[in-house]
Amino acid sequence: MLDSAAELLRERGASGVSIDAVLARSGAPRGSVYHHFPGGRNELIITAVRQAGSYISALIDLAVAGGDPHAALKQFVEFWKQSLADGDYKAGCPVVALAVGTRDDIPEATEVASEIFTCWQDKMCDLLMANGIDPDRAHRLTTLALAAIEGAILLSRTQRSAEPLDEVVAELAPLFRSQSAGTFS
């Protein structure tokens, strides 16, 4: 059910995720939703986004483990390129989907999305700082990278092409290469 909810969220946004749609996609019996998610739809969506956020966090952990910011940036973008292509450019980031337009519908949405994005940003920021980058500059760079990548995911969906992600990497790569080479000022 969680995977189905995350997929629907990625494709339709939070407003397009209903209990009926999750059940239809997952094949789970109706009673199982309320057994596992007594808070109903909102609890299901929040739990699905947290699971998806943790999955992507683990991918970031693998990417940063090598210690090279440029390689980590490329791995993160490659994940999104593959994810978009696998979904025929119909599905984006579930965390963005939660954050956009759900303030009244799911009151904790903004807080949960912020938590997840902050986690991703902190992981990359730590890598940059480990490569000798000033903490303030590292934070700004990770903000730039995350904002650019998430924006490029949206553009890729609308253009049905990975080209926006490639363009973002092309522009960010020199910053991240210079970080790993220790020549950034």
Side-chain angles (χ1 to χ4, degrees):
M1 286 185 293
L2 291 174
D3 290 343
S4 294
E7 289 169 8
L8 289 165
L9 191 62
R10 292 180 61 215
E11 294 167 6
R12 302 177 184 178
S15 62
V17 179
S18 66
I19 297 292
D20 288 340
V22 170
L23 293 175
R25 181 160 298 191
S26 68
R30 181 166 295 278
S32 63
V33 172
Y34 299 104
H35 173 75
H36 294 289
F37 307 101
R41 175 184 173 272
N42 287 3
E43 183 180 356
L44 175 62
I45 289 172
I46 292 295
T47 305
V49 169
R50 285 189 188 281
Q51 177 180 286
S54 292
Y55 175 79
I56 295 168
S57 290
L59 293 175
I60 294 171
D61 286 340
L62 289 174
V64 302
D68 180 354
H70 178 253
L73 172 71
K74 285 182 65 175
Q75 275 185 269
F76 187 58
V77 170
E78 285 303 317
F79 162 75
W80 283 114
K81 287 172 61 176
Q82 188 64 53
S83 180
L84 287 163
D86 289 348
D88 196 28
Y89 295 93
K90 294 178 183 171
C93 177
V95 183
V96 169
L98 178 69
V100 177
T102 57
R103 188 173 308 250
D104 295 332
D105 191 29
I106 305 174
E108 64 270 31
T110 302
E111 181 181 330
V112 169
S114 176
E115 219 175 86
I116 294 168
F117 283 137
T118 298
C119 174
W120 297 354
Q121 194 172 9
D122 288 348
K123 290 173 183 296
M124 193 60 129
C125 194
D126 289 345
L127 175 61
L128 291 174
M129 290 186 303
N131 277 268
I133 305 310
D134 171 76
D136 290 337
R137 179 70 178 152
H139 181 76
R140 288 191 304 271
L141 269 174
T142 57
T143 298
L144 173 65
L146 187 57
I149 291 165
E150 289 295 346
I153 292 167
L154 177 61
L155 291 173
S156 291
R157 284 185 70 190
T158 61
Q159 296 173 15
R160 298 184 50 74
S161 166
E163 189 173 339
L165 282 162
D166 291 334
E167 291 173 348
V168 163
V169 169
E171 290 302 315
L172 290 176
L175 294 174
F176 280 71
R177 259 193 218 106
S178 62
Q179 307 303 317
S180 60
T183 60
F184 187 80
S185 57

